[in-house]
Amino acid sequence: MTNTAPVDNRRADLVRVAARLFRERGFDGTTTRDIADAVGMRSGSPFYHFKSKQEILAAVMEEGLVAGLPAAEQIAAGELPPRAKFQALVRAHLEIVLGEGHDFIPVLLYDWRRLTPELRERVQVLRDRYDQLWQDVVNELSAAGLLRSDSAVARLLLMGAINYSVLWYKPGQGSNLDQIAEEAVAMFLGPEA
């Protein structure tokens, strides 16, 4: 049995650092050499792990979705009342989007169109799983009379508003993630009865 831990760790380092650089500089503003330099590799070394810079971008997006799925799946499958379930889902999503070191989903939001159609299709499988969890909770809210629509448009508007926080949220300035989650739920569903 071969030990692949160092190889896996180097790949994980590349993905983590690429996420940070893509978020700070954008996909087009980041070179493979920049990523290699930031992890202490030679400029061609990332190609041992990835076929192209596009593959690195796809891995960044997949990492963010894979990191967010377990919490979202647990919340969606849980026995919480619909409003509490929605608040927990919003809070978990805010953490994966805005939490310390979570650069993966903002990259997905900013650079989705930079993926080749083949890579976009690969990442879309995970996006669809994540979106379906949200849609299930939106449907529960609607069935409970807490939301007027259970359509995909309602889900997209809800998630779009929450995702936009990547542009204005500054840790330690203003509201924290719990407060933002509370305010988002109150805005979408109205005050708790």
Side-chain angles (χ1 to χ4, degrees):
M1 178 184 245
T2 16
N3 183 1
T4 61
V7 171
D8 292 343
N9 287 342
R10 294 304 276 170
R11 186 180 192 286
D13 289 345
L14 284 166
V15 171
R16 181 183 42 76
V17 168
R20 180 178 50 81
L21 292 174
F22 291 156
R23 185 174 185 178
E24 290 172 358
R25 303 177 186 177
F27 178 75
D28 293 333
T30 304
T31 66
T32 306
R33 180 181 301 271
D34 294 333
I35 297 166
D37 287 347
V39 294
M41 289 181 162
R42 294 176 187 235
S43 61
S45 296
F47 297 113
Y48 172 77
H49 303 276
F50 300 97
K51 293 178 186 170
S52 66
K53 189 172 125 182
Q54 288 272 328
E55 286 270 343
I56 298 171
L57 179 63
V60 165
M61 294 176 183
E62 289 168 331
E63 179 66 27
L65 289 164
V66 167
L69 273 166
E73 288 170 338
Q74 184 177 8
I75 292 163
E79 297 297 322
L80 291 171
R83 185 183 186 96
K85 187 179 285 191
F86 179 60
Q87 182 154 344
L89 192 59
V90 168
R91 178 58 178 85
H93 187 69
L94 286 168
E95 182 64 37
I96 208 70
V97 172
L98 302 174
E100 181 73 30
H102 290 279
D103 297 314
F104 306 99
I105 296 298
V107 170
L108 184 145
L109 298 172
Y110 297 143
D111 291 316
W112 174 250
R113 292 190 173 141
R114 300 285 191 271
L115 290 175
T116 63
E118 297 80 24
L119 291 172
R120 197 176 306 135
E121 190 175 307
R122 189 175 92 191
V123 175
Q124 188 65 49
V125 171
L126 291 169
R127 278 185 77 166
D128 288 348
R129 277 181 56 200
Y130 192 75
D131 288 350
Q132 186 59 55
L133 295 168
W134 274 83
Q135 189 63 52
D136 293 346
V137 173
V138 166
N139 293 345
E140 286 182 40
L141 290 169
S142 181
L146 297 171
L147 191 65
R148 289 188 172 178
S149 173
D150 62 358
S151 73
V153 173
R155 174 186 48 81
L156 291 168
L157 288 170
L158 293 166
M159 291 184 76
I162 294 165
N163 288 339
Y164 193 75
S165 64
V166 301
L167 297 177
W168 55 261
Y169 177 74
K170 302 280 186 258
Q173 299 177 13
S175 300
N176 64 35
L177 298 184
D178 290 327
Q179 293 165 326
I180 294 170
E182 289 171 16
E183 289 184 39
V185 171
M187 181 183 75
F188 294 130
L189 304 182
E192 197 160 4

